[in-house]
Amino acid sequence: MKISYNWLKQFIKIDWTAEKTGELLTDLGLEIEGIDTYQSVKGGLEGIVVGEVLTCEQHPNADRLKVTTVNIGADAPVQIVCGAPNVAAGQKVPVATIGTTLYAANGEPWKIKKGKIRGEESHGMICAEDELGLGESHDGIMVLDNTLVVGTAAATIFNVENDLVFEIGLTPNRADAMSHYGVARDLKAGLLQQEIGLELITPSVSAYHVDARSLKIDVDVQDNERCPRYCGVTISGVKVKASPDWLQHRLKSIGLAPINNIVDATNYVLHELGQPLHAFDASKISSNKIEVKTCKAGTKFTTLDGVVRELHEDDLMICDAEKPMCIAGVFGGIDSGVTENTVNIFLESAYFNPVSIRKTAKRHALNTDASFRFERGIDPSITEYALKRAALLITEIAGGEVTSDVVDAYPKKIKDFEVRLSFENAKKLIGEEIPKETIKSILTSLDIKVNNVTETGLGLTVPAYRNDVQREADIIEEVLRVYGYNNIATTTKLNASISNSSRFEDYKLQNIIGNQLASQGFFEIMANSLTSPKYIELSDDLKVEHNVTMLNPLSSDLEVMRQSLLFSGLEAVAHNINRRREDLKLFEFGKTYHQYEDNREEHKHLSLFVTGNKTQERWNSATTPTDFFYLKGSIETLLERLGLNRLRSAPTKAAILSEGMTLSVGKKPLVDFGLVKKSVLKHFGISQNVLFADFNWDNVLEMAQHNKIKFSTIPKYPEVRRDFALLLDNSITFEDIHTIAKQTEKQLLINVNLFDVYEGNNLPEGKKSYAVSFTLQDENKTLNDKQIDKIMSKLQANFKTKLGAELR
């Protein structure tokens, strides 16, 4: 937000430098991000002086040039070659001296240098008004008043406006500071804390009066919830034209382009007091009636930018008896605004519901100065005052007269906030005790009324425009920012305590698993917890009634809190694939949010996303695509790292997976993983396969704590390996073989591994071949052939009996 220092000084007569004032504003919480220079004439006419043309002769080598001698107040006259047809001896003219920088119409600077023009020396330039930035004419040089003194700086003649402009990084909660008056109010409080008492000058409206009651426009507010207060007045006989220079300078200094005197006056008051206003051409208001209401969904409405918009049923509109004229608090309509032919206007000043305005602005992707203020909450008590202020300004610069009483539809007054402040709590939160009288002085300077004082605290009334100050902690923050964070002493003693911390703390396990995933080539992502409600339609597992819906969403794509980490992760996958990064391994620690009948719940999750090739393309190895077993291996290594290796697997029931598996410990499901359905991927424009794993991190944390680490010595005796090639039915899984093997030999069988699968020719129909290795070891002695053969025979017999397996 831009704040003009000259404009600010109209409210508070401060004589500090801009830098010093900026430091105080930053200390008050209005961070100054930069200070820019504004000049009504670019360059400020620096180096331009009044000169007198002493002689004017024809250039010997050019028909259209003149050679002049000009007195510029220096020791001797200078020779200047000039091409203007109206230059003549005896004239007083503006002269750009050597070294002066002028600016072209496109803003490009160019410097005046000593040079020769067609063989004649030229020591400066006699300027036209467009060359100085004082107008658009280039018909000839400017001829000045003959009474001016030679050598006078042109900046003093043309009254160049020089200003310094603060760029304030305004936080969303500081709606009270969205105007020059609001900033001045804070500045006054800060100065008072430094024992500098300056008066806060408020623009007077005592001169306001009704000239005639000849043009009445009725107002009917049909939606008092979205429009708690609406004021209006008519002004007749105005002349729409360019604004006076002083008003144009004020608007230009903060980056606004002047339009006409009516619109400029409303913009001026908006940035002066923080109250948006809107002027309607009264002749375009059907039946002289204003209706504040919502329209039917799908109603077409053309805004000032020429865009035809389709209205939502919740969009508050300013209408006449026949049609909508303006999107309330956001943007005007193309057919009801002020034009050069406007004579009578209806001036609107209102307080609109911030949530309603924010939703409407986001729906239509509009961000205007008015919506910026309405959606954060303006001061409902100055609605009428600002209207009178604008009416006086319009009659001053556009003529006309006030031709109606002020209509003020305010059925239910917005109440101020009642807050209780405890001195003890203030001391605890601030860290030191601030004198009670100082606290009272600060609060009073911020327009916070002290109703009662006790030994323990204060009873306070906070004005309605401070909608960010409704709790005791907010009051303490207000006291602290004005008192000065820098004035709070730093303690010389640092106290710390040592607490017992479990090795199973969430953040510790997250670091362990995150580091392991990173070492495997995964990249961590952090997605927004807010997402689109439309994603619910992609999964039968998710229910609309379980959505946690935002009351004031930033946009329709961020309306609900996510019930799954899948969709935000797929957004990241699609984003990368669209930028030709197709080999991805991503992970995210996050939460899901669920609304149930009695309460809301948050669940912790870890999600993995794998797509594309396993490794980058290299000259000495072929690239292989990632598959289900690659993801399964990654998952098992993570769980093993946490000591979770007694896993039970089952087909997944996750609706978003076309095929997959669930791994559990006991009855606790730890992770669902598999291949994401093509229909889900299509919604995100992803054509390649994506593998997804969803860890129930709450269950992982719980089960990890039950894991007991056992230490054993490294066996001295060798392992023995034997292999079986088993002919099996297609329905048999490796897990079946693994389970039977472990049940058959519990002592000496230390590992069972599937190292080859064959399905194809030379096998009976419905059969497949598994090559399985069995590793045996006795920690106390070397196994002999007799023991090994006995174990293998027992394994073979059990495989045949329970699985129908045959050796190939």
Side-chain angles (χ1 to χ4, degrees):
M1 183 183 73
K2 295 182 182 297
I3 293 293
S4 157
Y5 199 23
N6 287 349
W7 198 344
L8 191 65
K9 289 177 181 178
Q10 292 179 203
F11 296 99
I12 188 164
K13 301 297 183 182
I14 186 172
D15 58 1
W16 285 7
T17 64
E19 288 75 15
K20 188 175 180 180
T21 301
E23 289 177 4
L24 178 55
L25 289 174
T26 297
D27 290 342
L28 290 167
L30 302 178
E31 183 181 359
I32 303 300
E33 297 179 339
I35 302 177
D36 299 322
T37 300
Y38 168 77
Q39 294 174 316
S40 57
V41 176
K42 193 166 185 179
L45 298 182
E46 187 175 343
I48 311 297
V49 298
V50 175
E52 181 180 8
V53 181
L54 302 177
T55 64
C56 179
E57 305 292 339
Q58 183 65 44
H59 193 293
N61 302 318
D63 295 336
R64 297 186 178 182
L65 298 178
K66 303 287 179 61
V67 178
T68 65
T69 54
V70 183
N71 178 12
I72 59 172
D75 294 337
V78 296
Q79 179 173 292
I80 299 176
V81 176
C82 180
N86 64 329
V87 63
Q91 293 173 334
K92 296 286 180 68
V93 293
V95 177
T97 57
I98 299 296
T100 298
T101 299
L102 298 178
Y103 294 86
N106 62 2
E108 287 293 323
W110 50 291
K111 198 169 185 178
I112 302 297
K113 300 178 181 178
K114 175 183 176 181
K116 285 188 176 183
I117 302 176
R118 295 288 183 93
E120 294 293 325
E121 287 189 358
S122 185
H123 298 262
M125 177 177 172
I126 304 175
C127 301
E129 66 177 36
D130 66 328
E131 293 165 335
L132 297 177
L134 297 172
E136 299 179 358
S137 173
H138 195 70
D139 295 336
I141 59 169
M142 288 187 72
V143 179
L144 305 177
D145 189 335
N146 215 37
T147 61
L148 294 174
V149 178
V150 170
T152 302
T156 61
I157 300 170
F158 294 104
N159 194 25
V160 175
E161 173 91 3
N162 291 297
D163 198 358
L164 293 169
V165 181
F166 299 112
E167 182 67 47
I168 297 180
L170 194 67
T171 52
N173 64 307
R174 293 302 309 276
D176 62 297
M178 293 188 296
S179 65
H180 286 75
Y181 180 76
V183 173
R185 183 169 50 205
D186 250 28
L187 186 58
K188 178 193 174 185
L191 289 169
L192 195 61
Q193 185 58 29
Q194 298 189 19
E195 299 183 352
I196 302 174
L198 294 181
E199 179 187 1
L200 183 63
I201 302 169
T202 305
S204 174
V205 294
S206 59
Y208 177 86
H209 65 279
V210 179
D211 297 294
R213 292 176 175 84
S214 56
L215 179 57
K216 181 184 179 183
I217 293 183
D218 296 321
V219 173
D220 179 16
V221 179
Q222 299 178 16
D223 194 332
N224 289 310
E225 183 180 347
R226 291 185 173 89
C227 179
R229 188 176 190 183
Y230 189 92
C231 295
V233 71
T234 61
I235 303 174
S236 303
V238 298
K239 293 182 180 180
V240 181
K241 57 184 178 180
S243 297
D245 288 343
W246 69 265
L247 178 53
Q248 292 196 39
H249 292 331
R250 287 284 178 265
L251 297 180
K252 286 179 179 179
S253 69
I254 58 173
L256 294 182
I259 298 173
N260 59 54
N261 50 2
I262 305 297
V263 176
D264 292 350
T266 61
N267 284 335
Y268 181 86
V269 174
L270 181 152
H271 289 276
E272 179 185 50
L273 302 176
Q275 171 67 56
L277 303 109
H278 190 72
F280 297 92
D281 188 326
S283 66
K284 298 175 182 178
I285 300 176
S286 177
S287 302
N288 283 352
K289 186 175 183 181
I290 290 288
E291 296 181 355
V292 184
K293 61 182 182 179
T294 56
C295 296
K296 291 182 179 180
T299 302
K300 304 292 184 183
F301 180 69
T302 306
T303 45
L304 278 170
D305 54 1
V307 176
V308 178
R309 304 179 188 275
E310 191 172 293
L311 299 181
H312 188 273
E313 60 187 6
D314 293 331
D315 291 337
L316 187 67
M317 302 296 295
I318 309 300
C319 310
D320 61 17
E322 298 176 353
K323 62 187 181 299
M325 299 189 298
C326 173
I327 302 178
V330 180
F331 211 23
I334 198 168
D335 296 323
S336 61
V338 173
T339 68
E340 59 184 10
N341 299 318
T342 296
V343 176
N344 303 326
I345 65 170
F346 175 76
L347 189 61
E348 165 197 282
S349 178
Y351 176 87
F352 298 116
N353 183 289
V355 174
S356 172
I357 297 301
R358 184 169 183 80
K359 287 183 176 180
T360 296
K362 293 299 178 184
R363 267 194 294 268
H364 297 289
L366 291 170
N367 183 20
T368 62
D369 283 339
S371 68
F372 178 81
R373 285 158 177 80
F374 277 128
E375 65 191 24
R376 285 162 174 79
I378 61 171
D379 185 356
S381 67
I382 67 166
T383 310
E384 183 180 5
Y385 166 71
L387 181 72
K388 292 179 177 179
R389 165 67 173 152
L392 285 172
L393 183 57
I394 288 172
T395 54
E396 176 188 337
I397 64 176
E401 57 184 13
V402 178
T403 50
S404 75
D405 292 315
V406 171
V407 177
D408 187 3
Y410 197 15
K412 186 178 180 182
K413 185 177 179 181
I414 297 173
K415 295 181 179 179
D416 295 335
F417 309 110
E418 301 294 330
V419 184
R420 176 75 184 172
L421 173 65
S422 162
F423 293 132
E424 182 62 27
N425 289 341
K427 180 181 177 182
K428 287 180 181 178
L429 204 56
I430 293 172
E432 69 177 55
E433 186 172 2
I434 296 178
K436 295 177 182 179
E437 288 303 317
T438 301
I439 291 177
K440 288 167 59 179
S441 173
I442 289 173
L443 293 175
T444 303
S445 69
L446 292 172
D447 289 348
I448 296 175
K449 183 180 178 182
V450 179
N451 296 323
N452 56 75
V453 183
T454 67
E455 286 297 317
T456 59
L458 303 174
L460 306 170
T461 298
V462 181
Y465 68 82
R466 289 308 308 271
N467 50 40
D468 62 319
V469 183
Q470 300 184 31
R471 306 170 302 163
E472 182 183 49
D474 300 328
I475 294 289
I476 296 171
E477 182 184 4
E478 289 297 293
V479 171
L480 184 54
R481 73 178 181 85
V482 176
Y483 181 76
Y485 290 97
N486 296 333
N487 294 326
I488 302 298
T490 303
T491 57
T492 57
K493 182 181 179 182
L494 180 63
N495 296 321
S497 59
I498 300 174
S499 61
N500 182 35
S501 177
S502 169
R503 64 189 180 90
F504 297 108
E505 291 284 348
D506 186 5
Y507 75 94
K508 291 183 179 180
L509 295 190
Q510 283 195 31
N511 286 339
I512 290 171
I513 296 304
N515 288 335
Q516 180 158 331
L517 285 168
S519 68
Q520 293 177 5
F522 281 77
F523 288 89
E524 185 172 9
I525 61 174
M526 297 177 68
N528 199 333
S529 295
L530 299 176
T531 188
S532 170
K534 296 179 181 178
Y535 290 155
I536 300 297
E537 303 168 4
L538 300 178
S539 173
D540 294 334
D541 294 337
L542 308 179
K543 305 298 181 185
V544 174
E545 57 267 26
H546 294 164
N547 273 338
V548 178
T549 305
M550 305 304 295
L551 294 176
N552 191 14
L554 294 172
S555 71
S556 59
D557 289 334
L558 299 171
E559 261 187 52
V560 299
M561 303 192 79
R562 60 184 178 181
Q563 293 188 47
S564 170
L565 270 60
L566 171 67
F567 306 116
S568 52
L570 288 179
E571 288 176 349
V573 171
H575 180 85
N576 281 274
I577 290 174
N578 291 338
R579 285 153 183 80
R580 304 189 66 80
R581 293 184 60 88
E582 299 170 348
D583 302 331
L584 300 170
K585 288 185 283 187
L586 309 174
F587 74 96
E588 179 186 9
F589 288 100
K591 291 182 179 180
T592 60
Y593 306 85
H594 310 269
Q595 173 74 62
Y596 298 115
E597 289 185 6
D598 300 329
N599 65 328
R600 292 174 179 162
E601 294 183 6
E602 296 181 10
H603 299 154
K604 296 175 183 177
H605 289 263
L606 164 63
S607 62
L608 307 184
F609 297 86
V610 177
T611 185
N613 294 317
K614 295 179 184 178
T615 58
Q616 293 181 352
E617 188 176 19
R618 289 185 174 87
W619 68 272
N620 61 350
S621 62
T623 57
T624 54
T626 53
D627 55 22
F628 177 85
F629 296 101
Y630 175 80
L631 178 61
K632 183 173 182 286
S634 297
I635 292 168
E636 289 177 341
T637 58
L638 296 182
L639 296 176
E640 286 176 5
R641 179 65 181 83
L642 299 176
L644 302 173
N645 46 23
R646 295 182 180 179
L647 303 173
R648 184 168 56 85
S649 64
T652 184
K653 296 180 181 179
I656 44 85
L657 301 177
S658 59
E659 56 184 68
M661 183 180 291
T662 299
L663 296 181
S664 308
V665 172
K667 294 183 179 181
K668 293 282 187 180
L670 300 184
V671 57
D672 283 295
F673 64 97
L675 194 64
V676 181
K677 283 183 176 179
K678 295 285 187 183
S679 58
V680 177
L681 297 178
K682 184 178 179 181
H683 183 85
F684 293 88
I686 300 173
S687 58
Q688 63 192 58
N689 288 337
V690 176
L691 294 155
F692 171 65
D694 182 17
F695 287 80
N696 185 323
W697 192 248
D698 291 311
N699 287 349
V700 171
L701 291 175
E702 180 182 348
M703 299 312 297
Q705 296 183 49
H706 297 318
N707 177 52
K708 293 183 179 180
I709 299 175
K710 294 182 179 180
F711 296 92
S712 59
T713 58
I714 299 174
K716 298 178 180 180
Y717 301 97
E719 298 174 351
V720 177
R721 169 175 163 164
R722 294 290 186 269
D723 298 340
F724 277 166
L726 299 173
L727 186 64
L728 304 159
D729 291 337
N730 282 336
S731 60
I732 304 300
T733 66
F734 172 68
E735 184 180 4
D736 298 328
I737 297 172
H738 187 275
T739 302
I740 292 171
K742 286 292 186 179
Q743 291 173 348
T744 302
E745 178 54 57
K746 298 178 180 179
Q747 298 295 326
L748 302 179
L749 182 61
I750 62 173
N751 189 39
V752 182
N753 182 49
L754 175 66
F755 63 88
D756 188 42
V757 177
Y758 177 70
E759 295 175 317
N761 298 330
N762 303 321
L763 291 181
E765 186 176 351
K767 297 288 185 176
K768 61 184 176 182
S769 175
Y770 273 6
V772 184
S773 67
F774 302 88
T775 304
L776 305 171
Q777 186 180 46
D778 190 331
E779 296 180 358
N780 300 314
K781 62 182 179 179
T782 302
L783 291 171
N784 57 45
D785 290 341
K786 185 178 180 179
Q787 289 175 296
I788 297 168
D789 291 343
K790 182 180 178 180
I791 294 171
M792 298 307 296
S793 296
K794 192 185 295 185
L795 288 171
Q796 181 183 349
N798 283 344
F799 290 150
K800 184 174 183 179
T801 302
K802 296 180 180 180
L803 301 178
E806 298 178 7
L807 291 180
R808 291 187 64 201

